[in-house]
Each structure stands twice: as structure tokens, then as C-alpha cells.
Amino acid sequence: MNFGRSQQLPPGTYGIERGRRTAGRVLGVAVAGALAFGLGPATAWAAPPPNPSDSDISAAQAEKDAAAAEVGAISAQLAAAQSQVDAARAASALALDEYQAKAAEYDAAQLAADTAAAAAVQATADLDASRQDLADFARTSYIEGSTFQGAAALLSADGPAQMIERAALLEASGANSSDVVDTTRVLQQQATAADLAARDALTVADGLKQEAATALSAAQASETSARSQAAALADQQVALNEQLQQAQQTLLGLEGARKANEEYAAAQAALARQQARDQEAARAAAEAAARRAASASSPTASRPSSSSSSGGGSSSSGSSSSSSSKSSTATSSTVDTTPAGSGSAGAAETAISAGMRYLGTTYAWGGGGTKGPGPGIAPDEGVVGFDCSGLTQYAYARAGISIPRNSRAQYAALPKVGRSDLQAGDLVFWATSPGDPSTIYHVGIYLGGNKVLHAPQSNDVVKVSTMWWGGYAGAVRPSA
């Protein structure tokens, strides 16, 4: 081998070898560049979120299950407690209605007593005047020497009562007959009767006043009990809900942390797979570039020919169609027998408008009436607003229609309406025993469209509610 001269290469091999060296350099640069631009190991995220242990999650699940089980275990107790609260509210409303009825009876009796007392006073005054006329008659007869021989007997009487007695005796003996004596005797009888009537009316009024006071005391005790039960139930429900929510939040927090950790791991794995695919694509691209460079630098290489082919593809589009069908149903209803007439639509509208003006007004136990919102009675002393029958009485007073103050009396006094014949402005009632009007405890104004305007209960306001039929007792039409 001759080391003093350059090694001889076969003709044409110089360009090929040079091209190979160039291609090698290009491939190395390409691969190095690809690796340099982030196609190496997976890029790290921020620190992974904490991953709760299985025991942590199991303990939280057990706590949640225990809370849910406790809620389920006492759900029947809560339902029973709610039923007791509803019954207490109904009893309170009945007691209030009873008091209002007694109060109305007392007012009427007191008015009768006052009228009777006034009549007694007038009768006494008339009697006094007649007695004076009788005394004057006797005096005149005596002075003028009248033939009336009994004048002296009358004048010597010890008082008006004895004077009348002597006049009656004289008349009976035929000694004298006088219109003055007759008038005095009649007025004496009227005065006595008027005094007795006044005393009787006052006795009745006093009795009703006592009954009203007793009814009020019972109603107040019932309302206080109902409110206490409602507050205790609300506190119990809040405590249970808080316990269950806390357990749920603990579990959801741990499950959320576990899910976040799993999502983090999945995202890291996906990133690693993507980076591997990118690295492989970069190597393939670099090798392809090197082959093209080697081919371009070879003198004997033939130019590559390229052919292109195109293929036609067909696309198809689907068509969708939708169809709709219409159906109609015919309904029929039987109109109940309704003693009430059609009533006055104008009066009903006026009553509804009057009531609607007080939407949001505070419920006041025993409050309100014909003049509008009024102070309630204890335990709502100082609260100005309406109770249920106070609102309905006010609304129809504005329409020029007088109705009783309490709900049972309103139902009893007004024309009845069948359920299927309800129209706007009718009063609708609820009872603890729907078939027994004496158990009616609530009333509202039907608005039509299955809506009712009413003053529901304590700690509530005048509002519009969806009509409910549980405990529905009937309806009346004040405008009929």
C-alpha cells in the first residue's frame, strides 16, 4: 500500500462518498435539533395535587352514609312532627275563629244592652213627666174645687208610686176616670219592662264577654304552642341538613382530590405519549431530509420522477327528516249544582284589586277588617296586618259588600258554589274535616287559573299561592 499518495477511488465514487458524508451531517443536525426543541423526556407540571388514601375516602363515605341513615331514620319523626305542627296551626285558627265569633256576638249583645238601657232611660223620663202631669192634675182639681173627690187622696200620697196606686183604686171604684192616670200607669209598665230588658241584655253581654275572653285565652295558648312546635321542627331540620351537608362536603372534597390526582397522572401520561410520537416524527423527518440531500449531491443519481395520482372520493350526505304529530284531547266536565247565582263580576274585580294592593303585608293574628290592616292580638300584639278572614272581609267591604268577620260565619252566611263552578272573586275555604263546616279554619280569595290570594299564617305575608285541594271545604260567592 502506498501511503505517500492519495488513495485512488473508483471513478464517480468521490461524489457519492461526499454526498453520504453531507447526508450524515444533515441527519445528525436534524436529530439533534429535534431533541433540543423539547422532544426529550416529558415536561414536568407543577407539583401533583394530594392524593387521599383509600382509607380516608372510605371513612368519609362511612360518615356520609351514617348521616344519611340518621336523616332517613328520623324522617318519619319529622313527618309526624310536621303533621303535629299543621294540626296545631289549624287548631289555633279554629280557636281564633271561635273567639272572633264570640266577640261578634258580644258586640251585638252590647249594642242591644245599650239600646235597652237608652230605652229604659227614656221610659223613666216619660214616667217622670207623666207623674208630674198627674200631680198637676190633682192640685188643679183641688184648688178649683173640682168634683173630683179623690184629689185630696192623691195629694196626700207619700210618693209617685202610692199616688198611682190610689189613682188606680179611685178609678176602680168609679170615683174618677182620667186620661192622665191611664197614661201614667202605661208609662210605669213600660219603664219597668225597659229596665228589665236592659238588665237582661247586659247580663247576656257580660256572659258573652267572658266567653270571648275564655276563647281568646285558648286561642292564644294554641297559637303559641303551634309557633313553638314550628320553631323546634325548623331547628331540627336545619341541624340535620347541616350535618348531612358537612359529611357530603367532606366526601366530595376527598373524592375531588382523588379525581384531580388521577386527572393529573392521566395528563402526564398523555403528554409523554405525545412527546414520543413527536420524537419519532422528528427522526423520520430528519432521515428523509438526509436521504434527499444525499440524492441531490450524487452526480450519477437520476433525478427522481414523481407521479401523482389522484383519486376521487365520494361523499355522501345523509338527510334527516323529522315528523311531528298533533294530537288533541277533548275534555268535558260536569258543572256542579251551585246555589249561588253568577254574581257581580265588577264587585269581584273590585274585591280582588283591593286585596292585591296589600300583597306582602305581614300576617297579623286576629288583625285587619273592613277598614284595612289592623293590629293583631297577642302573640301578634303590635303587628299590623291581616289574618285570613280579615283580608277577605276588607276586600269585599271595598266592593260595598258586608260579610262577617270570621271564616266559619262567612261560609255559613253566603251563597255556596260548587268546585267545578269556581270563578274569580269566590271565597274558598279549608277545614280539618272538610265535610264539617264547623271545622273551617282558613279562607282565601280565588283568583282563577288555579291561584288563590290569602293571608296564610304567622311569620308569613299576604300572597298569591297555587290552589291546593287537601282539606278543601267549599266556596261561596259574596257578590251573588
Side-chain angles (χ1 to χ4, degrees):
M1 183 174 294
N2 186 356
F3 293 97
R5 296 181 58 191
S6 298
Q7 186 178 359
Q8 298 293 318
L9 298 175
T13 59
Y14 175 76
I16 295 174
E17 184 65 23
R18 183 181 178 187
R20 287 174 179 170
R21 290 195 300 270
T22 302
R25 288 195 301 271
V26 171
L27 177 59
V29 171
V31 173
L35 294 175
F37 282 96
L39 299 178
T43 302
W45 285 7
N51 185 17
S53 67
D54 291 341
S55 60
D56 291 337
I57 293 180
S58 296
Q61 181 67 54
E63 184 179 350
K64 178 202 168 185
D65 293 343
E70 185 176 357
V71 170
I74 66 171
S75 60
Q77 299 176 18
L78 290 177
Q82 183 62 60
S83 296
Q84 292 174 358
V85 169
D86 294 341
R89 288 193 181 280
S92 168
L94 273 172
L96 176 61
D97 200 84
E98 179 65 22
Y99 160 70
Q100 290 171 336
K102 288 296 181 184
E105 291 179 23
Y106 165 72
D107 290 342
Q110 186 61 54
L111 178 60
D114 293 343
T115 302
V121 170
Q122 184 60 49
T124 300
D126 293 343
L127 178 60
D128 290 342
S130 180
R131 286 170 173 171
Q132 185 61 46
D133 290 343
L134 180 59
D136 291 343
F137 168 74
R139 187 180 299 106
T140 300
S141 297
Y142 179 79
I143 293 173
E144 294 178 353
S146 170
T147 57
F148 178 42
Q149 300 176 357
L154 294 176
L155 290 174
S156 63
D158 292 335
Q162 192 178 62
M163 181 184 293
I164 293 174
E165 291 176 0
R166 290 184 179 184
L169 290 173
L170 289 172
E171 181 182 11
S173 64
N176 183 58
S177 177
S178 171
D179 290 340
V180 175
V181 175
D182 292 340
T183 301
T184 302
R185 184 171 59 250
V186 170
L187 290 175
Q188 175 72 56
Q189 294 171 349
Q190 291 178 346
T192 301
D195 183 65
L196 289 175
R199 291 175 184 274
D200 290 344
L202 186 59
T203 299
V204 171
D206 288 342
L208 288 172
K209 183 177 182 180
Q210 183 59 43
E211 290 179 11
T214 301
L216 176 59
S217 178
Q220 289 171 325
S222 180
E223 177 66 10
T224 300
S225 174
R227 294 187 184 190
S228 177
Q229 291 181 49
L233 176 61
D235 291 343
Q236 190 176 13
Q237 289 173 329
V238 168
L240 286 173
N241 288 334
E242 287 179 350
Q243 181 180 352
L244 180 58
Q245 289 176 2
Q246 182 176 1
Q248 289 174 332
Q249 289 173 356
T250 300
L251 177 61
L252 290 175
L254 293 175
E255 289 178 340
R258 168 64 65 85
K259 184 177 180 181
N261 189 277
E262 290 173 349
E263 289 176 350
Y264 172 85
Q268 287 287 75
L271 178 61
R273 289 192 297 270
Q274 182 60 46
Q275 289 175 335
R277 288 193 294 269
D278 291 344
Q279 288 177 353
E280 183 61 29
R283 288 193 182 94
E287 291 175 355
R291 286 193 294 271
R292 287 194 298 272
S295 176
S297 61
S298 173
T300 60
S302 59
R303 293 182 178 272
S305 61
S306 62
S307 63
S308 63
S309 64
S310 62
S314 62
S315 63
S316 63
S317 62
S319 62
S320 63
S321 64
S322 63
S323 63
S324 63
S325 63
K326 297 181 179 180
S327 63
S328 62
T329 59
T331 60
S332 62
S333 61
T334 302
V335 178
D336 299 338
T337 301
T338 300
S342 59
S344 168
E349 290 178 5
T350 299
I352 289 173
S353 297
M356 292 291 284
R357 280 198 296 271
Y358 285 96
L359 282 175
T361 299
T362 302
Y363 176 92
W365 197 68
T370 56
K371 295 181 180 180
I377 54 180
D380 276 351
E381 188 175 8
V383 178
V384 177
F386 288 106
D387 65 10
C388 63
S389 56
L391 175 66
T392 55
Q393 187 188 44
Y394 165 74
Y396 270 98
R398 297 298 296 171
I401 298 175
S402 176
I403 64 175
R405 173 62 178 84
N406 59 302
S407 57
R408 287 181 297 168
Q410 290 175 3
Y411 181 81
L414 299 171
K416 306 301 183 288
V417 179
R419 173 171 168 174
S420 63
D421 196 32
L422 284 174
Q423 63 186 33
D426 291 344
L427 300 186
V428 284
F429 297 83
W430 287 264
T432 55
S433 298
D436 182 2
S438 68
T439 66
I440 287 174
Y441 65 88
H442 188 58
V443 60
I445 304 174
Y446 187 66
L447 302 178
N450 209 35
K451 298 293 183 181
V452 61
L453 171 68
H454 64 139
Q457 60 189 20
S458 60
N459 297 321
D460 212 331
V461 297
V462 175
K463 63 185 179 182
V464 174
S465 298
T466 299
M467 184 71 183
W468 68 101
W469 300 105
Y472 177 74
V476 299
R477 186 164 294 156
S479 65

